[in-house]
Amino acid sequence: MAAMASRQEGAAAAARWLEVGAEHAGQRIDNFLIRELRGVPRSRIYRILRTGEVRVNAGRARAGYRLQPGDRVRIPPLRAAERLAPRPDEGLAARIAQAILYEDEAVLVLDKPAGVPVHAGSGYGYGVIEALRSVHPQGRALELVHRLDRDTSGCLLLAKGRAVLRALHRAWREGGVDKGYLLVVHGTWPAGLREVGEALARQGDRVVADPAGRRARTRFRVRERLPAATLLEAHPLTGRMHQIRVHAAAAGHPILGDRRYGERARDRALGVPRLCLHAAWLALAHPAGGRRLRVEAPLEGRLAAFLEALRQGRAG
């Protein structure tokens, strides 16, 4: 089990104490609770952390606390209604199962559909990870290595088990994973603009370019010039929220179909069907053995069709 119950305080309504095993060393407590309390809304989990209902070794713990082997975690009683997770739609679960691009004993790479969040939350009862866990034989072992925005399609990397997850997170932090994106932006991207390095800061549910924010770098390369738009290749060198989208907008060329940072009037005029951002490939040293692994995701159908319409001047 992920953690072993070391004491039960009375009946079913009592708090539980879990003892953390070595396999969860270094995991943030919020992520530990999200997995342990599947179906409980994330807002509720963060609330019980803020109010001190969750304890680690009898003391309060912040959401970012990283667990240590032997830690004892108190989980407060939750009503049954809070623990009921919506069952993923059977059609979505089947679609997700058919979207596996690569799988072996350690990793799985999925071609995430646009419009589907990677996990439950923010008004969504379930996401890609919940749907995949509901149909995959090793569902309980699957862990997201990174995130993609809900409207972004393409390569999503998952680990099978905590040890593999830790190895991949380390590779991610140290720049050992090459991530390539394709995107279509408004206007003519300047030939000499090869990198955008504005620091980024969060403002509510948005991200803005802010010199006082966190360092962020994205490399861009022109793939094709289109009527009124440019097809780009992007390589994020850091991993900030909405990084590619905000850097493209900060350069004066927002991504087509970006409802948060884009230009809606121009999008409507062109008949843009979705956010034109696609995680096209992942390349990394395999966590078991070190061989080079590269996985590519073909352009999603609507995006491919729209790109062809742009080429032929038929968009809009």
Side-chain angles (χ1 to χ4, degrees), residues 178-193:
D178 177 34
K179 307 169 291 295
Y181 291 76
L182 295 176
L183 58 152
V184 185
V185 300
H186 283 288
T188 301
W189 186 272
L193 183 54

Side-chain angles (χ1 to χ4, degrees), residues 17 55-60 65 68 70-74:
W17 285 87
R55 298 271 170 164
V56 177
N57 303 326
R60 285 188 177 222
Y65 173 76
Q68 302 299 317
D71 277 350
R72 298 178 67 251
V73 180
R74 177 192 185 272

